Amino acid sequence: MKKIDWYILRKFIGTFVYSLMILLVISVVIDITEKIDDFLEHNLSIGFVFMHYYIGFIPHIAALLFPLFIFISVIFFTSKLAYKTEIVAILSAGVSFRRFLRPYWVGAILFASILWAANRWVVPAANRIRTTFENKYVSAPKDAETMKDRTMRVDSLTYITFGFYDPNYKNGSNFVMKRIKGQQVIYSLKADRFSWDSVGRKWKLDFVTVRTISGMKETLHTRNDTTVKIPLHPAELIEEKNKEQAMTTPELNRYLAREELRGAEGLNVYYVEKHRRTSAAVAVIILVLIGAIISSKKVRGGSGLHLALGIVISALYILFMQFSTVFATKADLNPLLAAWIPNFVFAGLALYLYFRAPK
């Protein structure tokens, strides 16, 4: 890294931080205007709202727009360098275009690493704070819907079927638990009614019939009530909106492993979120390079033309991301592919622009 590299890198970091601060202030002001009635209705102080809501809202909105806003920042300060003929002077001094991009690579990898770490640990914790506040003071969650005829796997041998379950009262009817070894049912338990015992953290069963099968022998027992302890909490039976955004990556991995064991469906949205956290960090590097390449050429339109082009590319990136996400969640597109399609497309665009750029 030479003096000119540090000069460009300082411009890079300074412009992005300044732009990000402006974005966050505008976002907070807009959000306050939308929720001011809810704050006043619950008589919440400014300090309370900030510590219990905006401390989670700010990382959420910053991470959401991080790749696109860093792209606009690169275009803005690089076009200024080009307008002042500084880039022409650098290249005329014998510096290759590839060497000129070194500080952009350094800055892109630095910011990509920050976003990658934040998406895995910081942003999910912030989302948990934000959603908890919104559910309590802004929009109270609706009662969970009742569940009918749902079967899930709770461990390697055990399957559970709920004929009817009301998550609001944590009870239901027609409970069936079977243990299957190989192709044979070795244990079957049926209960007319069941409910959650919050003190003992067990499921209480009423009017129970138990069948134990060993080869050709079968024993049958009935009892009025009993309790069973299985690795299934009532909270896990409630579908929370955007639950995947409030999980750290290790929590998300454990959740996916458990739900796959249970044979759960509709997990693509969780896989898309898992892969998006890495692809968003790589997108920072790709968009930085595209921004540096398209804005390094001095044009008659100046910064305005470069910024207009940057906004168009940003809109296309968002469009690609939304399309791929919808296809993954609704049309069974591979979640890994869905999260990385925009990066593949824009990486190809970056290579095309690089080879076409005047050097």
Side-chain angles (χ1 to χ4, degrees), residues 91-114:
L91 299 179
S92 299
V95 177
S96 67
F97 189 73
R98 184 176 61 180
R99 175 63 181 83
F100 163 73
L101 292 176
R102 178 181 295 180
Y104 290 93
W105 277 102
V106 173
I109 293 173
L110 171 65
F111 284 120
S113 302
I114 293 173

mmCIF file with all atom_site columns, all heavy atoms in Angstrom, residues 91-114:
data_model
loop_
_atom_site.group_PDB
_atom_site.id
_atom_site.type_symbol
_atom_site.label_atom_id
_atom_site.label_alt_id
_atom_site.label_comp_id
_atom_site.label_asym_id
_atom_site.label_entity_id
_atom_site.label_seq_id
_atom_site.pdbx_PDB_ins_code
_atom_site.Cartn_x
_atom_site.Cartn_y
_atom_site.Cartn_z
_atom_site.occupancy
_atom_site.B_iso_or_equiv
_atom_site.pdbx_formal_charge
_atom_site.auth_seq_id
_atom_site.auth_comp_id
_atom_site.auth_asym_id
_atom_site.auth_atom_id
_atom_site.pdbx_PDB_model_num
ATOM 1   N N   . LEU A 1 91  ? -2.947  6.854  -13.939 1.00 0.00 ? 91  LEU A N   1
ATOM 2   C CA  . LEU A 1 91  ? -2.695  5.913  -15.029 1.00 0.00 ? 91  LEU A CA  1
ATOM 3   C C   . LEU A 1 91  ? -1.587  6.408  -15.948 1.00 0.00 ? 91  LEU A C   1
ATOM 4   O O   . LEU A 1 91  ? -0.808  5.612  -16.499 1.00 0.00 ? 91  LEU A O   1
ATOM 5   C CB  . LEU A 1 91  ? -3.980  5.678  -15.826 1.00 0.00 ? 91  LEU A CB  1
ATOM 6   C CG  . LEU A 1 91  ? -5.160  5.068  -15.036 1.00 0.00 ? 91  LEU A CG  1
ATOM 7   C CD1 . LEU A 1 91  ? -6.378  4.915  -15.937 1.00 0.00 ? 91  LEU A CD1 1
ATOM 8   C CD2 . LEU A 1 91  ? -4.769  3.720  -14.438 1.00 0.00 ? 91  LEU A CD2 1
ATOM 9   N N   . SER A 1 92  ? -1.496  7.720  -16.135 1.00 0.00 ? 92  SER A N   1
ATOM 10  C CA  . SER A 1 92  ? -0.445  8.283  -16.993 1.00 0.00 ? 92  SER A CA  1
ATOM 11  C C   . SER A 1 92  ? 0.937   8.128  -16.381 1.00 0.00 ? 92  SER A C   1
ATOM 12  O O   . SER A 1 92  ? 1.952   8.154  -17.091 1.00 0.00 ? 92  SER A O   1
ATOM 13  C CB  . SER A 1 92  ? -0.715  9.769  -17.253 1.00 0.00 ? 92  SER A CB  1
ATOM 14  O OG  . SER A 1 92  ? -1.955  9.942  -17.915 1.00 0.00 ? 92  SER A OG  1
ATOM 15  N N   . ALA A 1 93  ? 0.985   7.963  -15.054 1.00 0.00 ? 93  ALA A N   1
ATOM 16  C CA  . ALA A 1 93  ? 2.267   7.790  -14.376 1.00 0.00 ? 93  ALA A CA  1
ATOM 17  C C   . ALA A 1 93  ? 2.796   6.366  -14.495 1.00 0.00 ? 93  ALA A C   1
ATOM 18  O O   . ALA A 1 93  ? 3.856   6.059  -13.935 1.00 0.00 ? 93  ALA A O   1
ATOM 19  C CB  . ALA A 1 93  ? 2.134   8.172  -12.902 1.00 0.00 ? 93  ALA A CB  1
ATOM 20  N N   . GLY A 1 94  ? 2.084   5.512  -15.217 1.00 0.00 ? 94  GLY A N   1
ATOM 21  C CA  . GLY A 1 94  ? 2.546   4.144  -15.435 1.00 0.00 ? 94  GLY A CA  1
ATOM 22  C C   . GLY A 1 94  ? 1.889   3.113  -14.542 1.00 0.00 ? 94  GLY A C   1
ATOM 23  O O   . GLY A 1 94  ? 2.259   1.938  -14.576 1.00 0.00 ? 94  GLY A O   1
ATOM 24  N N   . VAL A 1 95  ? 0.919   3.540  -13.725 1.00 0.00 ? 95  VAL A N   1
ATOM 25  C CA  . VAL A 1 95  ? 0.205   2.595  -12.860 1.00 0.00 ? 95  VAL A CA  1
ATOM 26  C C   . VAL A 1 95  ? -0.840  1.853  -13.700 1.00 0.00 ? 95  VAL A C   1
ATOM 27  O O   . VAL A 1 95  ? -1.643  2.485  -14.390 1.00 0.00 ? 95  VAL A O   1
ATOM 28  C CB  . VAL A 1 95  ? -0.480  3.344  -11.691 1.00 0.00 ? 95  VAL A CB  1
ATOM 29  C CG1 . VAL A 1 95  ? -1.290  2.361  -10.839 1.00 0.00 ? 95  VAL A CG1 1
ATOM 30  C CG2 . VAL A 1 95  ? 0.553   4.070  -10.845 1.00 0.00 ? 95  VAL A CG2 1
ATOM 31  N N   . SER A 1 96  ? -0.826  0.542  -13.639 1.00 0.00 ? 96  SER A N   1
ATOM 32  C CA  . SER A 1 96  ? -1.814  -0.227 -14.398 1.00 0.00 ? 96  SER A CA  1
ATOM 33  C C   . SER A 1 96  ? -3.196  -0.096 -13.760 1.00 0.00 ? 96  SER A C   1
ATOM 34  O O   . SER A 1 96  ? -3.320  0.224  -12.577 1.00 0.00 ? 96  SER A O   1
ATOM 35  C CB  . SER A 1 96  ? -1.412  -1.707 -14.457 1.00 0.00 ? 96  SER A CB  1
ATOM 36  O OG  . SER A 1 96  ? -1.483  -2.289 -13.160 1.00 0.00 ? 96  SER A OG  1
ATOM 37  N N   . PHE A 1 97  ? -4.213  -0.352 -14.564 1.00 0.00 ? 97  PHE A N   1
ATOM 38  C CA  . PHE A 1 97  ? -5.579  -0.241 -14.049 1.00 0.00 ? 97  PHE A CA  1
ATOM 39  C C   . PHE A 1 97  ? -5.820  -1.285 -12.958 1.00 0.00 ? 97  PHE A C   1
ATOM 40  O O   . PHE A 1 97  ? -6.508  -1.019 -11.975 1.00 0.00 ? 97  PHE A O   1
ATOM 41  C CB  . PHE A 1 97  ? -6.582  -0.417 -15.188 1.00 0.00 ? 97  PHE A CB  1
ATOM 42  C CG  . PHE A 1 97  ? -7.996  -0.099 -14.798 1.00 0.00 ? 97  PHE A CG  1
ATOM 43  C CD1 . PHE A 1 97  ? -8.395  1.206  -14.590 1.00 0.00 ? 97  PHE A CD1 1
ATOM 44  C CD2 . PHE A 1 97  ? -8.927  -1.110 -14.627 1.00 0.00 ? 97  PHE A CD2 1
ATOM 45  C CE1 . PHE A 1 97  ? -9.700  1.512  -14.222 1.00 0.00 ? 97  PHE A CE1 1
ATOM 46  C CE2 . PHE A 1 97  ? -10.235 -0.818 -14.267 1.00 0.00 ? 97  PHE A CE2 1
ATOM 47  C CZ  . PHE A 1 97  ? -10.613 0.497  -14.070 1.00 0.00 ? 97  PHE A CZ  1
ATOM 48  N N   . ARG A 1 98  ? -5.234  -2.464 -13.126 1.00 0.00 ? 98  ARG A N   1
ATOM 49  C CA  . ARG A 1 98  ? -5.377  -3.501 -12.109 1.00 0.00 ? 98  ARG A CA  1
ATOM 50  C C   . ARG A 1 98  ? -4.726  -3.064 -10.804 1.00 0.00 ? 98  ARG A C   1
ATOM 51  O O   . ARG A 1 98  ? -5.288  -3.276 -9.711  1.00 0.00 ? 98  ARG A O   1
ATOM 52  C CB  . ARG A 1 98  ? -4.738  -4.793 -12.608 1.00 0.00 ? 98  ARG A CB  1
ATOM 53  C CG  . ARG A 1 98  ? -4.917  -5.968 -11.650 1.00 0.00 ? 98  ARG A CG  1
ATOM 54  C CD  . ARG A 1 98  ? -4.365  -7.250 -12.226 1.00 0.00 ? 98  ARG A CD  1
ATOM 55  N NE  . ARG A 1 98  ? -2.936  -7.151 -12.485 1.00 0.00 ? 98  ARG A NE  1
ATOM 56  C CZ  . ARG A 1 98  ? -2.199  -8.136 -12.995 1.00 0.00 ? 98  ARG A CZ  1
ATOM 57  N NH1 . ARG A 1 98  ? -2.784  -9.277 -13.331 1.00 0.00 ? 98  ARG A NH1 1
ATOM 58  N NH2 . ARG A 1 98  ? -0.919  -7.975 -13.206 1.00 0.00 ? 98  ARG A NH2 1
ATOM 59  N N   . ARG A 1 99  ? -3.567  -2.426 -10.896 1.00 0.00 ? 99  ARG A N   1
ATOM 60  C CA  . ARG A 1 99  ? -2.891  -1.914 -9.691  1.00 0.00 ? 99  ARG A CA  1
ATOM 61  C C   . ARG A 1 99  ? -3.682  -0.766 -9.072  1.00 0.00 ? 99  ARG A C   1
ATOM 62  O O   . ARG A 1 99  ? -3.738  -0.625 -7.836  1.00 0.00 ? 99  ARG A O   1
ATOM 63  C CB  . ARG A 1 99  ? -1.474  -1.454 -10.067 1.00 0.00 ? 99  ARG A CB  1
ATOM 64  C CG  . ARG A 1 99  ? -0.696  -0.784 -8.933  1.00 0.00 ? 99  ARG A CG  1
ATOM 65  C CD  . ARG A 1 99  ? -0.467  -1.762 -7.789  1.00 0.00 ? 99  ARG A CD  1
ATOM 66  N NE  . ARG A 1 99  ? 0.254   -1.127 -6.704  1.00 0.00 ? 99  ARG A NE  1
ATOM 67  C CZ  . ARG A 1 99  ? -0.309  -0.380 -5.768  1.00 0.00 ? 99  ARG A CZ  1
ATOM 68  N NH1 . ARG A 1 99  ? -1.623  -0.189 -5.793  1.00 0.00 ? 99  ARG A NH1 1
ATOM 69  N NH2 . ARG A 1 99  ? 0.422   0.143  -4.807  1.00 0.00 ? 99  ARG A NH2 1
ATOM 70  N N   . PHE A 1 100 ? -4.329  0.029  -9.894  1.00 0.00 ? 100 PHE A N   1
ATOM 71  C CA  . PHE A 1 100 ? -5.137  1.141  -9.408  1.00 0.00 ? 100 PHE A CA  1
ATOM 72  C C   . PHE A 1 100 ? -6.297  0.654  -8.540  1.00 0.00 ? 100 PHE A C   1
ATOM 73  O O   . PHE A 1 100 ? -6.717  1.330  -7.590  1.00 0.00 ? 100 PHE A O   1
ATOM 74  C CB  . PHE A 1 100 ? -5.665  1.950  -10.603 1.00 0.00 ? 100 PHE A CB  1
ATOM 75  C CG  . PHE A 1 100 ? -6.807  2.859  -10.277 1.00 0.00 ? 100 PHE A CG  1
ATOM 76  C CD1 . PHE A 1 100 ? -6.590  4.029  -9.546  1.00 0.00 ? 100 PHE A CD1 1
ATOM 77  C CD2 . PHE A 1 100 ? -8.103  2.561  -10.677 1.00 0.00 ? 100 PHE A CD2 1
ATOM 78  C CE1 . PHE A 1 100 ? -7.648  4.873  -9.237  1.00 0.00 ? 100 PHE A CE1 1
ATOM 79  C CE2 . PHE A 1 100 ? -9.158  3.396  -10.374 1.00 0.00 ? 100 PHE A CE2 1
ATOM 80  C CZ  . PHE A 1 100 ? -8.929  4.557  -9.650  1.00 0.00 ? 100 PHE A CZ  1
ATOM 81  N N   . LEU A 1 101 ? -6.793  -0.566 -8.838  1.00 0.00 ? 101 LEU A N   1
ATOM 82  C CA  . LEU A 1 101 ? -7.941  -1.092 -8.100  1.00 0.00 ? 101 LEU A CA  1
ATOM 83  C C   . LEU A 1 101 ? -7.570  -1.716 -6.753  1.00 0.00 ? 101 LEU A C   1
ATOM 84  O O   . LEU A 1 101 ? -8.464  -2.131 -6.012  1.00 0.00 ? 101 LEU A O   1
ATOM 85  C CB  . LEU A 1 101 ? -8.663  -2.153 -8.943  1.00 0.00 ? 101 LEU A CB  1
ATOM 86  C CG  . LEU A 1 101 ? -9.388  -1.665 -10.208 1.00 0.00 ? 101 LEU A CG  1
ATOM 87  C CD1 . LEU A 1 101 ? -9.960  -2.848 -10.969 1.00 0.00 ? 101 LEU A CD1 1
ATOM 88  C CD2 . LEU A 1 101 ? -10.487 -0.675 -9.851  1.00 0.00 ? 101 LEU A CD2 1
ATOM 89  N N   . ARG A 1 102 ? -6.267  -1.752 -6.413  1.00 0.00 ? 102 ARG A N   1
ATOM 90  C CA  . ARG A 1 102 ? -5.861  -2.414 -5.170  1.00 0.00 ? 102 ARG A CA  1
ATOM 91  C C   . ARG A 1 102 ? -6.551  -1.826 -3.933  1.00 0.00 ? 102 ARG A C   1
ATOM 92  O O   . ARG A 1 102 ? -7.089  -2.595 -3.107  1.00 0.00 ? 102 ARG A O   1
ATOM 93  C CB  . ARG A 1 102 ? -4.346  -2.365 -5.002  1.00 0.00 ? 102 ARG A CB  1
ATOM 94  C CG  . ARG A 1 102 ? -3.876  -3.012 -3.699  1.00 0.00 ? 102 ARG A CG  1
ATOM 95  C CD  . ARG A 1 102 ? -2.379  -2.935 -3.528  1.00 0.00 ? 102 ARG A CD  1
ATOM 96  N NE  . ARG A 1 102 ? -1.693  -3.726 -4.551  1.00 0.00 ? 102 ARG A NE  1
ATOM 97  C CZ  . ARG A 1 102 ? -0.357  -3.827 -4.635  1.00 0.00 ? 102 ARG A CZ  1
ATOM 98  N NH1 . ARG A 1 102 ? 0.404   -3.154 -3.769  1.00 0.00 ? 102 ARG A NH1 1
ATOM 99  N NH2 . ARG A 1 102 ? 0.203   -4.551 -5.573  1.00 0.00 ? 102 ARG A NH2 1
ATOM 100 N N   . PRO A 1 103 ? -6.575  -0.513 -3.715  1.00 0.00 ? 103 PRO A N   1
ATOM 101 C CA  . PRO A 1 103 ? -7.262  -0.002 -2.510  1.00 0.00 ? 103 PRO A CA  1
ATOM 102 C C   . PRO A 1 103 ? -8.755  -0.310 -2.492  1.00 0.00 ? 103 PRO A C   1
ATOM 103 O O   . PRO A 1 103 ? -9.340  -0.445 -1.416  1.00 0.00 ? 103 PRO A O   1
ATOM 104 C CB  . PRO A 1 103 ? -7.001  1.512  -2.577  1.00 0.00 ? 103 PRO A CB  1
ATOM 105 C CG  . PRO A 1 103 ? -6.660  1.798  -3.996  1.00 0.00 ? 103 PRO A CG  1
ATOM 106 C CD  . PRO A 1 103 ? -5.959  0.579  -4.489  1.00 0.00 ? 103 PRO A CD  1
ATOM 107 N N   . TYR A 1 104 ? -9.351  -0.441 -3.672  1.00 0.00 ? 104 TYR A N   1
ATOM 108 C CA  . TYR A 1 104 ? -10.766 -0.826 -3.714  1.00 0.00 ? 104 TYR A CA  1
ATOM 109 C C   . TYR A 1 104 ? -10.941 -2.270 -3.235  1.00 0.00 ? 104 TYR A C   1
ATOM 110 O O   . TYR A 1 104 ? -11.912 -2.582 -2.526  1.00 0.00 ? 104 TYR A O   1
ATOM 111 C CB  . TYR A 1 104 ? -11.304 -0.673 -5.137  1.00 0.00 ? 104 TYR A CB  1
ATOM 112 C CG  . TYR A 1 104 ? -11.424 0.756  -5.590  1.00 0.00 ? 104 TYR A CG  1
ATOM 113 C CD1 . TYR A 1 104 ? -10.386 1.376  -6.287  1.00 0.00 ? 104 TYR A CD1 1
ATOM 114 C CD2 . TYR A 1 104 ? -12.558 1.500  -5.316  1.00 0.00 ? 104 TYR A CD2 1
ATOM 115 C CE1 . TYR A 1 104 ? -10.486 2.700  -6.712  1.00 0.00 ? 104 TYR A CE1 1
ATOM 116 C CE2 . TYR A 1 104 ? -12.677 2.814  -5.733  1.00 0.00 ? 104 TYR A CE2 1
ATOM 117 C CZ  . TYR A 1 104 ? -11.630 3.410  -6.427  1.00 0.00 ? 104 TYR A CZ  1
ATOM 118 O OH  . TYR A 1 104 ? -11.747 4.722  -6.830  1.00 0.00 ? 104 TYR A OH  1
ATOM 119 N N   . TRP A 1 105 ? -10.004 -3.138 -3.632  1.00 0.00 ? 105 TRP A N   1
ATOM 120 C CA  . TRP A 1 105 ? -10.045 -4.513 -3.145  1.00 0.00 ? 105 TRP A CA  1
ATOM 121 C C   . TRP A 1 105 ? -9.904  -4.549 -1.625  1.00 0.00 ? 105 TRP A C   1
ATOM 122 O O   . TRP A 1 105 ? -10.642 -5.280 -0.942  1.00 0.00 ? 105 TRP A O   1
ATOM 123 C CB  . TRP A 1 105 ? -8.915  -5.334 -3.773  1.00 0.00 ? 105 TRP A CB  1
ATOM 124 C CG  . TRP A 1 105 ? -9.208  -5.873 -5.133  1.00 0.00 ? 105 TRP A CG  1
ATOM 125 C CD1 . TRP A 1 105 ? -8.767  -5.395 -6.328  1.00 0.00 ? 105 TRP A CD1 1
ATOM 126 C CD2 . TRP A 1 105 ? -10.014 -7.022 -5.446  1.00 0.00 ? 105 TRP A CD2 1
ATOM 127 N NE1 . TRP A 1 105 ? -9.245  -6.150 -7.363  1.00 0.00 ? 105 TRP A NE1 1
ATOM 128 C CE2 . TRP A 1 105 ? -10.010 -7.160 -6.863  1.00 0.00 ? 105 TRP A CE2 1
ATOM 129 C CE3 . TRP A 1 105 ? -10.728 -7.928 -4.684  1.00 0.00 ? 105 TRP A CE3 1
ATOM 130 C CZ2 . TRP A 1 105 ? -10.698 -8.181 -7.495  1.00 0.00 ? 105 TRP A CZ2 1
ATOM 131 C CZ3 . TRP A 1 105 ? -11.419 -8.950 -5.316  1.00 0.00 ? 105 TRP A CZ3 1
ATOM 132 C CH2 . TRP A 1 105 ? -11.399 -9.066 -6.715  1.00 0.00 ? 105 TRP A CH2 1
ATOM 133 N N   . VAL A 1 106 ? -8.968  -3.779 -1.103  1.00 0.00 ? 106 VAL A N   1
ATOM 134 C CA  . VAL A 1 106 ? -8.742  -3.760 0.348   1.00 0.00 ? 106 VAL A CA  1
ATOM 135 C C   . VAL A 1 106 ? -9.987  -3.273 1.082   1.00 0.00 ? 106 VAL A C   1
ATOM 136 O O   . VAL A 1 106 ? -10.446 -3.883 2.059   1.00 0.00 ? 106 VAL A O   1
ATOM 137 C CB  . VAL A 1 106 ? -7.527  -2.877 0.689   1.00 0.00 ? 106 VAL A CB  1
ATOM 138 C CG1 . VAL A 1 106 ? -7.385  -2.716 2.206   1.00 0.00 ? 106 VAL A CG1 1
ATOM 139 C CG2 . VAL A 1 106 ? -6.252  -3.468 0.101   1.00 0.00 ? 106 VAL A CG2 1
ATOM 140 N N   . GLY A 1 107 ? -10.541 -2.145 0.606   1.00 0.00 ? 107 GLY A N   1
ATOM 141 C CA  . GLY A 1 107 ? -11.741 -1.620 1.246   1.00 0.00 ? 107 GLY A CA  1
ATOM 142 C C   . GLY A 1 107 ? -12.925 -2.562 1.121   1.00 0.00 ? 107 GLY A C   1
ATOM 143 O O   . GLY A 1 107 ? -13.697 -2.744 2.071   1.00 0.00 ? 107 GLY A O   1
ATOM 144 N N   . ALA A 1 108 ? -13.079 -3.194 -0.052  1.00 0.00 ? 108 ALA A N   1
ATOM 145 C CA  . ALA A 1 108 ? -14.201 -4.105 -0.267  1.00 0.00 ? 108 ALA A CA  1
ATOM 146 C C   . ALA A 1 108 ? -14.106 -5.317 0.647   1.00 0.00 ? 108 ALA A C   1
ATOM 147 O O   . ALA A 1 108 ? -15.107 -5.732 1.254   1.00 0.00 ? 108 ALA A O   1
ATOM 148 C CB  . ALA A 1 108 ? -14.229 -4.549 -1.732  1.00 0.00 ? 108 ALA A CB  1
ATOM 149 N N   . ILE A 1 109 ? -12.920 -5.905 0.768   1.00 0.00 ? 109 ILE A N   1
ATOM 150 C CA  . ILE A 1 109 ? -12.750 -7.071 1.639   1.00 0.00 ? 109 ILE A CA  1
ATOM 151 C C   . ILE A 1 109 ? -12.967 -6.687 3.098   1.00 0.00 ? 109 ILE A C   1
ATOM 152 O O   . ILE A 1 109 ? -13.569 -7.443 3.877   1.00 0.00 ? 109 ILE A O   1
ATOM 153 C CB  . ILE A 1 109 ? -11.361 -7.694 1.425   1.00 0.00 ? 109 ILE A CB  1
ATOM 154 C CG1 . ILE A 1 109 ? -11.267 -8.285 0.011   1.00 0.00 ? 109 ILE A CG1 1
ATOM 155 C CG2 . ILE A 1 109 ? -11.066 -8.759 2.468   1.00 0.00 ? 109 ILE A CG2 1
ATOM 156 C CD1 . ILE A 1 109 ? -9.890  -8.778 -0.371  1.00 0.00 ? 109 ILE A CD1 1
ATOM 157 N N   . LEU A 1 110 ? -12.502 -5.493 3.485   1.00 0.00 ? 110 LEU A N   1
ATOM 158 C CA  . LEU A 1 110 ? -12.703 -5.021 4.857   1.00 0.00 ? 110 LEU A CA  1
ATOM 159 C C   . LEU A 1 110 ? -14.196 -4.901 5.177   1.00 0.00 ? 110 LEU A C   1
ATOM 160 O O   . LEU A 1 110 ? -14.678 -5.449 6.183   1.00 0.00 ? 110 LEU A O   1
ATOM 161 C CB  . LEU A 1 110 ? -12.016 -3.668 5.040   1.00 0.00 ? 110 LEU A CB  1
ATOM 162 C CG  . LEU A 1 110 ? -12.306 -2.935 6.362   1.00 0.00 ? 110 LEU A CG  1
ATOM 163 C CD1 . LEU A 1 110 ? -11.756 -3.730 7.541   1.00 0.00 ? 110 LEU A CD1 1
ATOM 164 C CD2 . LEU A 1 110 ? -11.709 -1.529 6.335   1.00 0.00 ? 110 LEU A CD2 1
ATOM 165 N N   . PHE A 1 111 ? -14.935 -4.216 4.322   1.00 0.00 ? 111 PHE A N   1
ATOM 166 C CA  . PHE A 1 111 ? -16.364 -4.019 4.578   1.00 0.00 ? 111 PHE A CA  1
ATOM 167 C C   . PHE A 1 111 ? -17.149 -5.320 4.422   1.00 0.00 ? 111 PHE A C   1
ATOM 168 O O   . PHE A 1 111 ? -18.134 -5.548 5.132   1.00 0.00 ? 111 PHE A O   1
ATOM 169 C CB  . PHE A 1 111 ? -16.923 -2.945 3.643   1.00 0.00 ? 111 PHE A CB  1
ATOM 170 C CG  . PHE A 1 111 ? -16.549 -1.548 4.034   1.00 0.00 ? 111 PHE A CG  1
ATOM 171 C CD1 . PHE A 1 111 ? -15.833 -0.732 3.177   1.00 0.00 ? 111 PHE A CD1 1
ATOM 172 C CD2 . PHE A 1 111 ? -16.902 -1.049 5.277   1.00 0.00 ? 111 PHE A CD2 1
ATOM 173 C CE1 . PHE A 1 111 ? -15.485 0.557  3.536   1.00 0.00 ? 111 PHE A CE1 1
ATOM 174 C CE2 . PHE A 1 111 ? -16.561 0.243  5.653   1.00 0.00 ? 111 PHE A CE2 1
ATOM 175 C CZ  . PHE A 1 111 ? -15.842 1.053  4.784   1.00 0.00 ? 111 PHE A CZ  1
ATOM 176 N N   . ALA A 1 112 ? -16.722 -6.176 3.500   1.00 0.00 ? 112 ALA A N   1
ATOM 177 C CA  . ALA A 1 112 ? -17.395 -7.472 3.339   1.00 0.00 ? 112 ALA A CA  1
ATOM 178 C C   . ALA A 1 112 ? -17.224 -8.328 4.596   1.00 0.00 ? 112 ALA A C   1
ATOM 179 O O   . ALA A 1 112 ? -18.169 -9.012 5.020   1.00 0.00 ? 112 ALA A O   1
ATOM 180 C CB  . ALA A 1 112 ? -16.837 -8.200 2.119   1.00 0.00 ? 112 ALA A CB  1
ATOM 181 N N   . SER A 1 113 ? -16.050 -8.292 5.199   1.00 0.00 ? 113 SER A N   1
ATOM 182 C CA  . SER A 1 113 ? -15.809 -9.047 6.432   1.00 0.00 ? 113 SER A CA  1
ATOM 183 C C   . SER A 1 113 ? -16.681 -8.520 7.572   1.00 0.00 ? 113 SER A C   1
ATOM 184 O O   . SER A 1 113 ? -17.220 -9.300 8.365   1.00 0.00 ? 113 SER A O   1
ATOM 185 C CB  . SER A 1 113 ? -14.328 -8.968 6.822   1.00 0.00 ? 113 SER A CB  1
ATOM 186 O OG  . SER A 1 113 ? -13.506 -9.468 5.792   1.00 0.00 ? 113 SER A OG  1
ATOM 187 N N   . ILE A 1 114 ? -16.799 -7.192 7.653   1.00 0.00 ? 114 ILE A N   1
ATOM 188 C CA  . ILE A 1 114 ? -17.649 -6.600 8.693   1.00 0.00 ? 114 ILE A CA  1
ATOM 189 C C   . ILE A 1 114 ? -19.097 -7.031 8.512   1.00 0.00 ? 114 ILE A C   1
ATOM 190 O O   . ILE A 1 114 ? -19.775 -7.429 9.473   1.00 0.00 ? 114 ILE A O   1
ATOM 191 C CB  . ILE A 1 114 ? -17.527 -5.057 8.655   1.00 0.00 ? 114 ILE A CB  1
ATOM 192 C CG1 . ILE A 1 114 ? -16.114 -4.627 9.077   1.00 0.00 ? 114 ILE A CG1 1
ATOM 193 C CG2 . ILE A 1 114 ? -18.573 -4.412 9.560   1.00 0.00 ? 114 ILE A CG2 1
ATOM 194 C CD1 . ILE A 1 114 ? -15.856 -3.147 8.911   1.00 0.00 ? 114 ILE A CD1 1
#
